[in-house]
Amino acid sequence: MTDALLPAAGRPLEKEGEDYFRKGCNPLAQTGRSKLQNQRAALNQQILKAVRMRTGAENLLRVATNQKVREQVRLELSFVNSDLQMLKEELEGLNISVGVYQSTEEAFTIPLIPLGLKETKDVDFSVVLKDFILEHYSEDGCLYEDEIADLMDLRQACRTPSRNEAGVELLMSYFLQLGFVESRFFPPTCHLGLLFTWYDSLTGVPVSQQNLLLEKASILFNIGALYTQIGTRCNRQTQAGLESAVDAFQRAAGVLNYLKETFTHTPSYDMSPAMLSVLVRMMLAQAQESLFEKISLPGIRNEFFMLVKVAQEAAKVGEVYRQLHVATSQAPVKENIPYSWASLACVKAHHYTALAHYFTATLLIDHQLKRGADEDHQEKCLSQLYDHMPEGLTPLATLKNDQQRQQLGKCHLYKALTHHEEATREASLCKKLRDIQVLQEVLSAAHQRTRLKYTQHQEDDDLLNLTDAPNIVSKTEQEAEMILPQFSKVTVTDFFQKLGPLSVFSANKRWTPPRSVHFTVEEGDLGFTLRGNTPVQVHFLAPSCSAALAGAKEGDYIVSIRGVDCKWLTVSEVMKLLKSFGGEEIEMKVVSPLDSTSSMHNKCATYSVGMQKTYSMICLAIDDDDKTDKTKKISKKLSFLSWGTNKNRRKSASTMCLPAVGVSRPHVKRKLHAPFSVLSSESSLY
């Protein structure tokens, strides 16, 4: 994990000793979580090395013809596979290191599962963005060094977000900033040569792409992962802490579901639709578990209706964890999800089902129907507690008959013991779960409590007379639901707004290089009118006016007047500026928009170590006129490997024709909401 770049003045900062970092980020924090993340980064590098060695050995085995060489390669390949398996098991150990992420308060509760943050490699935007600014915007890229540094600093800060709302806001601000960057610098028809690499949080396998889609998806994943870490950190011994945990897990589920629906073909295993569906289920299950703990926190009164409510709430938690365990056992999720996560889901399913039967047994054994009691209400509650009554029993008769109540209660206790024993057995089968001391203590305490109550009412012939207890219908007063990410609450500033309004000055628009128009105002008449908001366009140009004779055209955008940047000025402001010069000669720089040209359907290549290369088509809108133009020549797409050579050639050529640009006035940064949708229409395509 590399240190964050020191931010320039004027940014929100946090202080840590004598060093300053961007708000929401502290890369020098020596916490257990940061140490685990450092171990994850180191493991990712080792896994990458092992995967490369395995790929090389497999290629050698494929081409080798000498039998001795093939035997030696097979031996080496077996060692490499063994090392790779050990590294992945070590990574799984980090994923189940739940103790580090839990609240610092001592709590007798089952730990919750957080997600680890995805790791990435450094990306240098400076050279590529400077070249693009020069070639596409006809401006000197060196004038934007501070903005490029701000972007790189923000990305670096997102690698070590703090585990609070400030860290979430930091990641969201970078995600929104990527929307501006994509519109400014990433045309759909070509790649700039930037390679974004992210490591799978579950397998450690790196995946690389040349566009921002992987970058956006990975940031979204980390936002969801950070919410899970916030949820596990909450103090679950207080109502406020449990409410915060429920909110955090619901937000994590919302972000992960948004990622699944928006990026449908992500090449990374941890962001595949199947895996994200399981992770969403996991977060909602943990939110439902926290809701149950919120109900149980004040204490469970030994009262009939209270016990009915708690039994059904516990059955609801057991049901969602049972569904989660089934989902984790399906291919292809089963091969990639940590075994300890699936085991813990199974353990919790049995544990909370056992609690539901225990509370049902308590209400049947400890409470007798007395005179004056609300028989109808109790009968209704008991009938709604089961999906079906045992054969030969009715709700009201069971409530009035003490022997039937005792017998049915013991059936529930026996079934609760069965589930407790199964939960303990599942926990003992997984080495990672055996090492979680608090989990073993909670399971043991619940088991002993149920066994004690069963022993108090046990009879010699119970094994012959006890029948299978009916299933308890799950019911909850508050069901955990996803909370979608609220990006609109985060306000960001476009780092590159000096380039002009995005509606005109973007990567998918084309215009002529700026040209100077020298003219004078004759008797207070400009000879043309202005229209538009920002930037302002020349409109209704008189053919005989001095501006038209100097080269102005209708539809031209005014970018500067006598060195004053006009890209963000309104019509009234530009008109006021023009009239301020009186009869003096005015130098006005304008650009003319060019018609959009059709381009080839662009293939987006994904480079993934240890995974099959995938290609998909990004479909672009093609004008009808361009469809019928059979004679138009389409230039051949340059490969990524030859991009650097051609880039230098284009750079040298564009440097020779760099237009003279007047010194623009310092531009005041404005806080902007993203003027475009968070994701472009192509964002879900790979």
Side-chain angles (χ1 to χ4, degrees):
M1 196 71 70
T2 58
D3 295 341
L5 300 175
L6 292 179
R11 306 177 202 161
L13 305 175
E14 277 187 350
K15 186 172 182 179
E16 177 69 23
E18 297 180 354
D19 297 308
Y20 294 84
F21 305 103
R22 186 180 290 270
K23 184 178 180 181
C25 162
N26 188 357
L28 301 184
Q30 295 298 316
T31 62
R33 183 181 72 112
S34 62
K35 292 178 181 178
L36 274 183
Q37 202 64 33
N38 290 336
Q39 294 177 30
R40 181 186 297 276
L43 272 178
N44 287 337
Q45 294 298 326
Q46 296 179 43
I47 290 174
L48 173 60
K49 181 179 179 181
V51 169
R52 286 175 173 172
M53 291 178 64
R54 184 179 67 179
T55 303
E58 289 174 346
N59 292 336
L60 180 59
L61 183 63
R62 191 175 298 112
V63 300
T65 56
N66 187 288
Q67 190 61 30
K68 291 185 177 180
V69 173
R70 292 177 62 85
E71 290 178 359
Q72 185 175 359
V73 172
R74 286 195 184 96
L75 180 61
E76 293 293 336
L77 191 58
S78 65
F79 282 117
V80 172
N81 286 330
S82 177
D83 291 341
L84 188 58
Q85 183 62 32
M86 292 177 62
L87 290 173
K88 290 187 175 181
E89 289 178 359
E90 192 173 347
L91 182 61
E92 179 185 347
L94 296 183
N95 287 326
I96 198 58
S97 299
V98 294
V100 175
Y101 295 93
Q102 307 304 310
S103 171
T104 55
E105 304 291 334
E106 293 186 3
F108 193 67
T109 53
I110 299 179
L112 301 173
I113 297 176
L115 299 179
L117 300 179
K118 291 174 69 70
E119 288 291 329
T120 183
K121 289 183 177 180
D122 291 331
V123 176
D124 188 358
F125 291 95
S126 56
V127 175
V128 174
L129 295 192
K130 285 180 183 179
D131 286 349
F132 191 83
I133 290 173
L134 176 65
E135 297 174 8
H136 188 75
Y137 293 95
S138 299
E139 295 192 34
D140 188 357
C142 295
L143 299 176
Y144 292 86
E145 288 182 346
D146 290 341
E147 288 78 2
I148 295 174
D150 286 341
L151 177 63
M152 295 176 63
D153 173 41
L154 179 58
R155 186 182 191 274
Q156 185 68 21
C158 288
R159 299 178 67 178
T160 54
S162 54
R163 189 166 45 161
N164 49 36
E165 287 298 328
V168 173
E169 186 175 348
L170 175 69
L171 292 175
M172 284 190 173
S173 63
Y174 179 57
F175 178 77
L176 294 176
Q177 191 67 232
L178 288 176
F180 288 111
V181 173
E182 184 176 35
S183 298
R184 296 282 190 191
F185 302 107
F186 286 81
T189 56
C190 65
H191 297 300
L192 298 185
L194 287 172
L195 198 63
F196 299 93
T197 300
W198 287 84
Y199 293 89
D200 192 298
S201 65
L202 302 179
T203 65
V205 176
V207 177
S208 300
Q209 278 192 346
Q210 294 186 61
N211 54 41
L212 285 179
L213 299 181
L214 177 63
E215 184 89 349
K216 285 182 175 181
S218 299
I219 292 296
L220 277 177
F221 184 93
N222 278 357
I223 293 174
L226 194 58
Y227 270 128
T228 67
Q229 295 180 10
I230 293 174
T232 55
R233 189 186 188 185
C234 294
N235 183 5
R236 292 155 65 193
Q237 299 301 302
T238 64
Q239 287 285 346
L242 286 170
E243 290 175 359
S244 299
V246 171
D247 180 75
F249 285 118
Q250 290 183 138
R251 291 185 183 277
V255 172
L256 295 174
N257 188 69
Y258 178 80
L259 171 59
K260 181 190 72 173
E261 294 181 349
T262 308
F263 298 87
T264 55
H265 295 89
T266 47
S268 185
Y269 288 125
D270 56 355
M271 295 190 294
S272 63
M275 182 63 73
L276 288 174
S277 297
V278 171
L279 295 181
V280 169
R281 281 183 179 272
M282 181 185 296
M283 298 311 127
L284 291 178
Q286 295 187 140
Q288 196 68 52
E289 182 181 2
S290 300
L291 286 170
F292 174 78
E293 292 177 348
K294 182 181 174 183
I295 296 173
S296 307
L297 183 62
I300 300 174
R301 300 188 309 274
N302 195 355
E303 186 265 331
F304 185 88
F305 299 110
M306 181 65 182
L307 290 172
V308 170
K309 174 185 175 182
V310 174
Q312 291 188 309
E313 291 282 355
K316 179 64 176 179
V317 180
E319 180 184 57
V320 294
Y321 272 114
R322 183 165 57 254
Q323 294 172 351
L324 173 61
H325 179 251
V326 172
T328 58
S329 304
Q330 304 297 321
V333 175
K334 183 179 180 180
E335 288 76 17
N336 299 310
I337 200 168
Y339 172 71
S340 51
W341 289 7
S343 298
L344 186 58
C346 184
V347 168
K348 288 188 176 184
H350 286 295
H351 173 71
Y352 284 102
T353 303
L355 291 183
H357 284 284
Y358 172 80
F359 291 128
T360 303
T362 303
L363 70 89
L364 289 170
I365 294 175
D366 293 356
H367 296 276
Q368 298 179 357
L369 188 62
K370 300 178 181 179
R371 290 183 179 180
D374 190 349
E375 294 184 4
D376 294 339
H377 193 188
Q378 289 195 16
E379 180 186 10
K380 182 179 179 180
C381 287
L382 187 61
S383 62
Q384 293 178 349
L385 185 62
Y386 298 128
D387 53 1
H388 68 279
M389 287 292 294
E391 185 178 355
L393 298 180
T394 61
L396 184 59
T398 303
L399 289 172
K400 292 182 177 180
N401 191 314
D402 292 343
Q403 184 178 358
Q404 287 185 7
R405 291 169 66 111
Q406 293 282 335
Q407 192 71 8
L408 184 57
K410 286 192 290 184
C411 291
H412 282 290
L413 286 176
Y414 186 77
K415 196 163 187 177
L417 285 173
T418 303
H419 282 288
H420 279 307
E421 291 169 358
E422 190 64 22
T424 304
R425 187 186 71 84
E426 285 288 342
S428 64
L429 292 178
C430 179
K431 180 180 182 301
K432 306 296 181 183
L433 298 185
R434 289 199 303 268
D435 297 336
I436 303 178
Q437 186 65 28
V438 66
L439 173 63
Q440 301 296 331
E441 293 174 357
V442 171
L443 296 179
S444 176
H447 191 187
Q448 292 301 323
R449 181 180 61 179
T450 304
R451 180 174 293 280
L452 177 62
K453 194 168 189 65
Y454 180 74
T455 304
Q456 293 172 352
H457 301 86
Q458 185 177 13
E459 297 179 0
D460 294 338
D461 58 347
D462 279 347
L463 293 178
L464 299 177
N465 297 330
L466 292 181
T467 59
D468 187 29
N471 295 326
I472 299 170
V473 176
S474 62
K475 184 180 179 181
T476 180
E477 292 183 351
Q478 181 182 353
E479 188 166 359
E481 298 178 345
M482 294 179 291
I483 300 178
L484 295 178
Q486 299 173 333
F487 296 110
S488 59
K489 291 187 176 181
V490 180
T491 304
V492 297
T493 302
D494 181 8
F495 287 154
F496 299 92
Q497 62 177 343
K498 287 193 304 182
L499 291 172
L502 264 172
S503 58
V504 175
F505 300 100
S506 61
N508 59 355
K509 298 289 182 65
R510 298 176 62 247
W511 54 90
T512 62
R515 64 184 187 277
S516 296
V517 176
H518 297 268
F519 68 98
T520 57
V521 179
E522 301 172 356
E523 299 179 357
D525 184 15
L526 293 174
F528 57 86
T529 59
L530 303 176
R531 71 173 181 180
N533 188 9
T534 55
V536 173
Q537 277 185 293
V538 175
H539 191 49
F540 292 136
L541 180 65
S544 59
C545 70
S546 60
L549 297 176
K553 301 176 183 178
E554 288 189 4
D556 283 350
Y557 290 105
I558 301 176
V559 295
S560 68
I561 300 175
R562 280 197 172 183
V564 178
D565 193 347
C566 298
K567 291 197 255 347
W568 286 98
L569 298 185
T570 62
V571 170
S572 58
E573 291 172 335
V574 172
M575 188 64 71
K576 182 179 179 181
L577 181 61
L578 287 171
K579 291 183 177 180
S580 66
F581 297 113
E584 301 177 10
E585 183 181 73
I586 300 175
E587 180 189 8
M588 181 174 68
K589 288 196 174 181
V590 297
V591 295
S592 300
L594 299 176
D595 294 334
S596 58
T597 57
S598 64
S599 59
M600 293 181 63
H601 293 310
N602 178 37
K603 284 188 176 181
C604 171
T606 299
Y607 302 92
S608 175
V609 178
M611 298 173 60
Q612 185 178 2
K613 292 185 179 179
T614 60
Y615 297 86
S616 61
M617 302 298 294
I618 297 181
C619 298
L620 306 175
I622 301 178
D623 296 338
D624 293 335
D625 294 339
D626 293 332
K627 288 180 180 178
T628 59
D629 187 1
K630 303 295 184 178
T631 60
K632 181 170 291 186
K633 294 183 179 180
I634 301 176
S635 59
K636 187 177 180 181
K637 189 81 177 89
L638 295 178
S639 68
F640 169 66
L641 296 177
S642 63
W643 175 86
T645 306
N646 284 273
K647 179 195 70 173
N648 295 331
R649 189 181 302 122
R650 294 198 310 271
K651 178 181 177 183
S652 61
S654 59
T655 305
M656 296 174 61
C657 60
L658 177 64
V661 180
V663 179
S664 61
R665 63 185 176 90
H667 191 81
V668 180
K669 287 188 176 181
R670 303 178 185 177
K671 291 289 183 178
L672 299 173
H673 288 286
F676 47 85
S677 60
V678 173
L679 293 170
S680 63
S681 59
E682 295 89 358
S683 296
S684 62
L685 300 176
Y686 276 81

